[in-house]
Amino acid sequence: MQDTTSSPLAPDYGETPGVQYLAPIREVDPDIYEAILAETRRQQTGIELIPSENYVSRAVLSAIGTVFTNKYSEGYAGKRYYGGNENVDIIETLAIERAKQLFGAEHANVQPYSGSPANMAVYYGLLEPGDTVMGLALPDGGHLTHGWKVNFSAHFFNSVQYPVNPETGLLDYDVVWELAREHKPKLIWAGATAYPRVLEFDKFAQIAEDVGAYFAADIAHISGLVATGLHPDPVPYADAVTMTTHKMLRGPRGAMILTKEEHARAIDRAVFPGLQGGPHDHVTAAIAVCLKEASKEEYVEYCNQIVRNAKALAEALIERGFELVSGGTDNHLMLVDLTNKGVPGKVAQKALDRAGITLNANMVPGDKRSAFDPSGIRLGTPAVTTRGFKEDEMRKIAGWLADVIENIEDKATIERVRHEVEEVCEQFPLWY
Ligand code: DSN
C-alpha cells in the first residue's frame, strides 16, 4: 500500500485512499474501470510537464462526483427557471463571492463550461458579428479563440492577429499599437498559451483605450500567479477577464468570467440564455472548493514554488545546451526550440512519453515547420509543483530531457530514464 501522508494534496490523510471511490464503477463497467485505473497509474508513475495540466485535491474531485450532477438550474441564483434550486444557489453564490474576493473583481460568472465557451461569451456579450478583433496569433503563443483562422472567432469576426518578434520571442507593444490604430478593433485580447514572459496588461489597456476597443484578458494559464500577485493583474483594466479553472487553480474542468459591473448583465445574458443551457452544478461546487483552497496561504507558497521551479528548470536546460524562446521564463512555462538538437518536437514528445515524461510539441515563433510537426516543445511546472517537486527535481528533469533528446534513438537511455522517473515519482506520491 502506498503511503500518501506526505502528499501536498492530502497532508492529513492517514490511510491509503487508493482507488476505493472506483468500486461502483468496477461493478457496473469493468472496461471503464480498467481505463480509469490505467490512467491513475499513468499519472502516479509519470512526470507531468504540460503547463496547462494539474492534479486536483481530494476535496475538488469529491465535489465533482456529487448529486449536483442530477440538477438543472438554468438562470442565476434567485432567478432560476426550475424548482429545487435552493442548494444550487448556495454553491453558485459561494463560487461567485470567492472568485470576486480572490481576484478583486466587481462581478463573476462561474457557469461557462470551459475556456472556449467563456471567451465566446465575451464576444457575444460585447460585440456584433463582423466586428474587428485582435489577438495574439496561435503559432506565436495565442489561443484558438483569440481570432485564429480555423476558429469561430475568425469566422464570425474580422480577425487581426498580432505576432511576437521572431528574433526575441517577445511581444512588441509598438507593433500591437500600430495594428490597432490601423484596424480599429472593437476588442483586443491579451492572453497566451505559450508565452513565457510577463504580459503587460496596462499597456494593452492603454492601446485599447487609444483606439476605443474593449480589452479582454484571458489568464487561463497564469490565473494563480495573478491571484497571488506574482504576475501583473488585468482586473483593474480589463472589461472582461476569462480563465479556465482546471489549470493553475487546480479546480475542475470549467471556466469563469470576471467583469466590471457595467458589463455584468451583458456577460451573464451571453452565457445564459445566449450560449448555454443549464450550468454544470457539480462543477460549480468543485469550482467553489478550488477557490477556497486558492485563498489559503499554502496556495501563495505553491504559486511561488511554481515560478522558482520554472526558473530552475529553464536554467538547467540552458546549461545542457537547449535554446529557450526569449531566453528563459518569468512564469510557469517555457518553450524550447529543438532545432539546434536536430530533433523535431513531435519526435521528442513521443520518446519522452515512453520515458514517462509528458509534454507537448509546440510551434516556436517564426517556426518553419508545421503545427502538426513543429520545432519545439512546451513545458511547465504547475503539476510537478503540486506533486511536491522542488528545484532539485527540476535539475533531474532537465537532465532526463537532455539525455532522451540527445539520444533519441537509444532504447536503453529511454528505459533508464523511465526507471529513474518512476523512482522519483514513488518518493512524491499523488493521493489518488
Ligand atoms: N489546451 C490549452 C493549453 O494546453 O494551453 C489551451 O486551451
Side-chain angles (χ1 to χ4, degrees):
M1 274 199 167
Q2 203 176 46
D3 172 18
T4 61
T5 51
S6 62
S7 166
L9 288 175
D12 300 315
Y13 198 80
E15 294 168 39
T16 297
V19 286
Q20 295 98 322
Y21 67 97
L22 295 177
I25 306 176
R26 181 173 49 200
E27 278 170 35
V28 171
D29 194 333
D31 296 330
I32 293 297
Y33 171 76
E34 285 302 329
I36 296 171
L37 215 56
E39 176 60 12
T40 307
R41 282 199 203 103
R42 188 192 70 80
Q43 293 188 16
Q44 283 171 336
T45 60
I47 289 177
E48 182 54 71
L49 292 180
I50 293 175
S52 49
E53 296 190 8
N54 216 325
Y55 306 108
V56 296
S57 68
R58 176 191 309 285
V60 167
L61 193 62
S62 299
I64 302 166
T66 59
V67 292
F68 279 115
T69 196
N70 297 336
K71 195 71 197 94
Y72 260 124
S73 54
E74 286 92 334
Y76 292 100
K79 285 173 279 178
R80 305 279 181 189
Y81 286 78
Y82 295 1
N85 272 305
E86 59 272 26
N87 300 311
V88 170
D89 281 1
I90 291 171
I91 56 159
E92 191 170 320
T93 303
L94 275 172
I96 288 169
E97 290 309 316
R98 288 173 184 170
K100 285 163 62 179
Q101 175 80 26
L102 188 64
F103 290 95
E106 292 175 16
H107 181 77
N109 186 306
V110 297
Q111 292 192 5
Y113 298 142
S114 198
S116 293
N119 289 353
M120 194 181 253
V122 172
Y123 288 93
Y124 200 37
L126 301 181
L127 306 184
E128 295 296 328
D131 281 347
T132 297
V133 299
M134 272 178 60
L136 176 60
L138 183 73
D140 287 28
H143 189 257
L144 280 167
T145 56
H146 299 175
W148 187 239
K149 56 192 172 192
V150 296
N151 187 258
F152 80 89
S153 53
H155 294 165
F156 298 148
F157 299 93
N158 174 39
S159 170
V160 175
Q161 299 273 272
Y162 54 83
V164 295
N165 180 315
E167 302 304 320
T168 61
L170 298 175
L171 279 167
D172 183 335
Y173 294 88
D174 290 335
V175 170
V176 179
W177 208 320
E178 273 169 35
L179 283 169
R181 284 192 165 155
E182 184 186 343
H183 295 281
K184 303 264 181 303
K186 185 98 180 280
L187 171 72
I188 298 177
W189 281 103
T193 62
Y195 189 67
R197 297 298 185 176
V198 164
L199 291 164
E200 295 183 47
F201 292 124
D202 56 342
K203 283 195 184 156
F204 278 105
Q206 213 184 338
I207 295 168
E209 190 180 7
D210 180 52
V211 300
Y214 290 118
F215 169 42
D218 179 341
I219 61 166
H221 263 263
I222 53 170
S223 54
L225 303 186
V226 169
T228 56
L230 296 167
H231 186 285
D233 181 2
V235 172
Y237 310 106
D239 295 290
V241 177
T242 63
M243 74 197 83
T244 44
T245 46
H246 47 268
K247 295 188 175 80
M248 211 177 262
L249 282 177
R250 298 196 291 200
R253 304 198 83 80
M256 311 193 297
I257 308 172
L258 311 175
T259 58
K260 298 206 176 303
E261 201 53 57
E262 64 184 289
H263 301 308
R265 188 175 145 78
I267 293 295
D268 282 353
R269 285 181 60 79
V271 174
F272 174 84
L275 293 167
Q276 297 187 175
H280 293 175
D281 300 315
H282 57 308
V283 171
T284 306
I287 289 175
V289 173
C290 88
L291 290 170
K292 182 163 190 177
E293 290 176 341
S295 70
K296 308 253 191 243
E297 200 47 45
E298 296 92 297
Y299 187 74
V300 178
E301 175 48 25
Y302 163 66
C303 289
N304 272 289
Q305 190 62 47
I306 287 176
V307 175
R308 288 196 291 268
N309 280 350
K311 285 197 189 315
L313 184 54
E315 277 165 23
L317 286 169
I318 290 166
E319 273 172 30
R320 288 290 301 255
F322 285 95
E323 287 183 355
L324 270 58
V325 171
S326 85
T329 179
D330 295 328
N331 56 25
H332 64 304
L333 68 79
M334 61 216 73
L335 259 184
V336 186
D337 185 345
L338 295 178
T339 307
N340 70 329
K341 298 281 182 188
V343 177
K346 260 286 169 52
V347 174
Q349 177 192 307
K350 285 181 182 161
L352 286 159
D353 249 343
R354 291 198 294 277
I357 299 177
T358 311
L359 46 69
N360 67 281
N362 214 94
M363 300 277 274
V364 295
D367 208 324
K368 304 267 185 307
R369 301 176 68 92
S370 76
F372 287 112
D373 187 18
S375 297
I377 50 174
R378 182 184 70 150
L379 40 153
T381 55
V384 288
T385 306
T386 293
R387 195 162 192 155
F389 283 18
K390 294 213 165 67
E391 287 88 331
D392 277 349
E393 287 72 38
M394 295 304 112
R395 288 184 273 275
K396 281 188 188 144
I397 290 173
W400 292 323
L401 292 172
D403 290 349
V404 170
I405 289 169
E406 288 166 3
N407 301 280
I408 200 80
E409 305 284 355
D410 185 26
K411 286 195 178 128
T413 301
I414 291 176
E415 270 167 36
R416 194 247 312 152
V417 170
R418 168 84 241 186
H419 180 69
E420 290 173 10
V421 163
E422 281 182 17
E423 274 184 350
V424 168
C425 287
E426 267 173 36
Q427 291 163 31
F428 295 88
L430 295 171
W431 69 267
Y432 305 96

